[in-house]
Amino acid sequence: MTDTTLSTGPASPDSLHTGDAAKARLRARYAAEARFKWLGAGAVALAGFFLLLLLSTIVTKALPAFHQNYVALEVDLSADKIDPADPGAANFLGLVHDGMAGEFPQVSGRQERRLLRGLVSTGAGVMLREAIEADPTMLGGTRRIAVPLDDFADLYLKGLLAKSGPSCRIAGVTVSGAGDEVAVGFPDDAILAMARGAGAVDGEDGGLRLTSGSQSLLLEIAGGTLKITELSTGEAGGAIGKATVLEPLASASDMPDDAMLRTIETAEANRKITDREIVWLDRLAGAGKIENRWNTLFFFTGASREPELAGIWGAVVGSALTMVVTLALSFPIGVAAAIYLEEFATKNRLTNLIEVNINNLAAVPSIVFGLLGLAVFLNWFSLPRSAPLVGGMVLALMTLPTIIIAARAALRAVPPSIREAALGIGASKVQTVFHHVLPLAMPGIMTGTIIGMAQALGETAPLLMIGMVAFIVDIPGGFTDAATVLPVQIFMWADFPEPAFQQKTSAAILILLGFLVIMNAIAVVLRKRFERRW
Amino acid sequence: MNMLTEAGVEQQLADQGNTPAIKMRGKGVTVHYGDKQALFGVDLDVPEKQVTALIGPSGCGKSTFLRCLNRMNDTIPICRVGGDITLDGEDIYDPKIDVVELRARVGMVFQKPNPFPKSIYENIAYGPRIHGLTKNKAELDAVVESSLRKAALWDEVKDRLQEPGTGLSGGQQQRLCIARAIAVSPEVILMDEPCSALDPIATAKVEELIDELRQNYTIVIVTHSMQQAARVSQRTAMFHLGYLVEEGATDKMFTNPDDKRTQDYITGRFG
């Protein structure tokens, strides 16, 4: 009985593969595997998290740039403003400004008028002229025309410049006096606490003063708007104060009236838009004159110093032209070089030296290629500055090592049996390579080309050296026109001080990523077509 | 001495009752791979329209010799070939000889089936096409069909000529490679262990095929299988450590070899 158990039961505890020590080894092995698995999964999750973070940040920052606010104005295009015989001679921007002034007839004074004019984009005149050139029947009468708002006005309407605080209704507010400064009276002193909360400072006379460093308290009353500047305790538990008239009141009476108190939490000193402009813009928005449109200007115009007029199309065309040149040069040269080195060249010191140097070239900082382009292509060959032709040539130099290395690896991966098969039935070397080896290596070569082109698309430094950083408003029409490319455009916009360019920068990054995705998608489709079942 | 040996070979052939012409002849063939010498002065004649089997243990130089016969060794940069090899009396290493033409005359079938990753039709049609052997599609179709028939593959693939050649079974792939070699109408077919990757049934089919091909082609086959050499070849050459040990009629080699090493190898004492 015991014998049977011994012979068929578990082996003795000190057996080589079943003993306790063996079990411990096994456990340690499984633990190591589990650890590695979790580490790997963690690495992937972390990478995914950061990618998501990056993308979501860019997308949320970019979204406002895809829309632009327009203001619809009644513009007088009658014959006494625009001469029908010579419409081009008219002052179109002046007409737009007149339309704007027509919306706010009460605005007087040079400074205020200039402020009001500044709400519409300086490009509005050009756009009006182009619209009239496209459709001359617009002339002769007053037309409702939508023009883009200035970038600060646009940003305010998108809620990116100033933060609006809570508003509340106050009954029994009195307004007395006339002119720019009026006196206001409140039935109770709750307003004092609010002013204190808004950052009002104590004045010399014991009252409170609201300076440009504190939040703005705006009082909408009797069809006008007042900005409270001073407050102090009044009679019978009330409060009195002074206010600046931002918008004249329709009926100036001492009778108590209901008022709406608004706060703008961002202090006037800390924002690029004044209280007066905010009141005007809110008035326009309230009257339904503001249109939020899909920003075709951004997608289909060239660069501009004015953020609301700046577009990406010039850079997109520049990038496309540059990529065409890069691909046309680097792909055939790179593949030919790889075929020669891999299939035809005898292996000796010279080819070894060439191979080592090609590998080294792949690691050369890209700006060095830019210097080379500057010295050789511009100064020596006298090719045009800032041109996609030269940019493409420089990037082709940079991309060549990547393509050559990838193509050589792909050619080496083709099994030698295929070469032998072709040679064995009497194919020549060239026939063997072009009929059999190259088609099989094509998917790998395409992958290398995609990587190289993606690198080239995102390259900024070498293009700075050959002048593609120049500020170019026109959309390039050919390979020798001055142009810029997407990454350089992003670089320039990121450098501009206007806050509206922040959104443009993010939007341009999205366009660049989209460009990359489209390029890669085309390459993947092509690769799939070349791929053969083994 | 040398003259005598040659005369002896021809005498032996004459004794067999038929006197086939010598198709290919190697004289003092040496091969170096870099500093390492792989063949030491091999003299071997390949008679026309017969199957010559090259046997010997691994690394003995039989594949190296085979690859010298259609200059496939040219593709190995460090390989140097010395001595004379003639095809119909012409030195194939003569600079005037075009290697492409040579390989069209001396075709090759490799150890591992290596069809092109193309359709069955394209696999066969490629050779005739690059050599310009056919004038039109109809002629090409005829060549493809006759090649596949000669390789005993036609009935199995005639309905799927446009399917990839790599989709066939291993034995079918090897017969496809043989058909591909036949399609360019070579005079000699070299086979480097053509059955080593095949199962016994596929092997039997290929061996049967080799026996039939002997009617029209001179065949040199490298094999590790003694039985295969005995079954398919008329002449056998035994290699060992880069030297040709012995060669002669297969019947004699397997029953009464002159050299002890041959006897030991054939009976399985080494190798």
Side-chain angles (χ1 to χ4, degrees), chain A residues 37-49:
Chain A
K37 205 175 111 190
W38 282 111
L39 276 176
V44 170
L46 196 68
F49 168 74

Side-chain angles (χ1 to χ4, degrees), chain B residues 78-98:
Chain B
I78 56 166
C79 179
R80 282 180 293 118
V81 179
D84 289 325
I85 299 174
T86 58
L87 172 65
D88 289 338
E90 257 181 304
D91 182 5
I92 63 168
Y93 280 88
D94 191 307
K96 287 200 293 283
I97 288 285
D98 185 75

Side-chain angles (χ1 to χ4, degrees), chain A residues 116-240:
Chain A
L116 185 62
R117 285 203 294 270
L119 287 183
V120 291
S121 166
T122 50
V126 178
M127 290 173 66
L128 178 60
R129 193 189 71 212
E130 281 168 359
I132 289 171
E133 277 168 4
D135 178 20
T137 57
M138 286 168 73
L139 289 176
T142 301
R143 300 273 168 182
R144 191 180 164 93
I145 288 165
V147 292
L149 283 169
D150 186 59
D151 52 326
F152 289 120
D154 181 53
L155 280 184
Y156 167 71
L157 287 171
K158 285 170 182 167
L160 295 167
L161 266 195
K163 195 164 169 243
S164 282
S167 46
C168 59
R169 181 167 291 281
I170 301 172
V173 178
T174 57
V175 179
S176 57
D180 285 347
E181 294 281 331
V182 292
V184 287
F186 297 93
D188 58 52
D189 60 359
I191 187 83
L192 288 173
M194 280 174 78
R196 228 176 258 288
V201 292
D202 290 314
E204 289 157 10
D205 53 356
L208 290 171
R209 280 160 37 82
L210 286 150
T211 62
S212 63
S214 55
Q215 297 180 7
S216 298
L217 297 183
L218 304 181
L219 208 55
E220 284 173 14
I221 186 166
T225 309
L226 308 173
K227 182 190 179 189
I228 301 169
T229 53
E230 281 178 37
L231 281 173
S232 56
T233 319
E235 303 156 358
I240 54 165

Side-chain angles (χ1 to χ4, degrees), chain A residues 228-313:
Chain A
I228 301 169
T229 53
E230 281 178 37
L231 281 173
S232 56
T233 319
E235 303 156 358
I240 54 165
K242 287 182 184 166
T244 312
V245 180
L246 297 181
E247 248 186 331
L249 280 56
S251 52
S253 71
D254 293 348
M255 294 305 291
D257 202 348
D258 276 4
M260 196 69 166
L261 183 74
R262 286 183 60 193
T263 50
I264 311 287
E265 283 187 359
T266 317
E268 198 172 16
N270 295 341
R271 55 177 135 93
K272 306 271 186 178
I273 191 162
T274 61
D275 289 326
R276 211 177 280 276
E277 287 170 299
I278 287 176
V279 169
W280 287 333
L281 286 170
D282 287 346
R283 181 71 61 195
L284 284 172
K289 306 235 171 193
I290 301 289
E291 296 171 17
N292 193 352
R293 291 192 189 173
W294 183 246
N295 198 349
T296 46
L297 277 180
F298 174 72
F299 291 104
F300 296 112
T301 59
S304 169
R305 272 313 300 211
E306 299 298 327
E308 74 275 11
L309 300 176
I312 198 72
W313 189 241

Side-chain angles (χ1 to χ4, degrees), chain A residues 6 15 21 117 132 142 172 177 226 228 298 320 332 344 350 375-376 398 404 416 429 431 458 462 479 523 528 534:
Chain A
L6 270 178
S15 157
R117 285 203 294 270
I132 289 171
T142 301
L226 308 173
I228 301 169
F298 174 72
F344 292 97
L350 183 69
V376 177
M398 209 196 73
I404 293 176
K429 190 88 196 173
Q431 284 171 331
F479 292 109
K528 276 266 174 288
W534 197 242

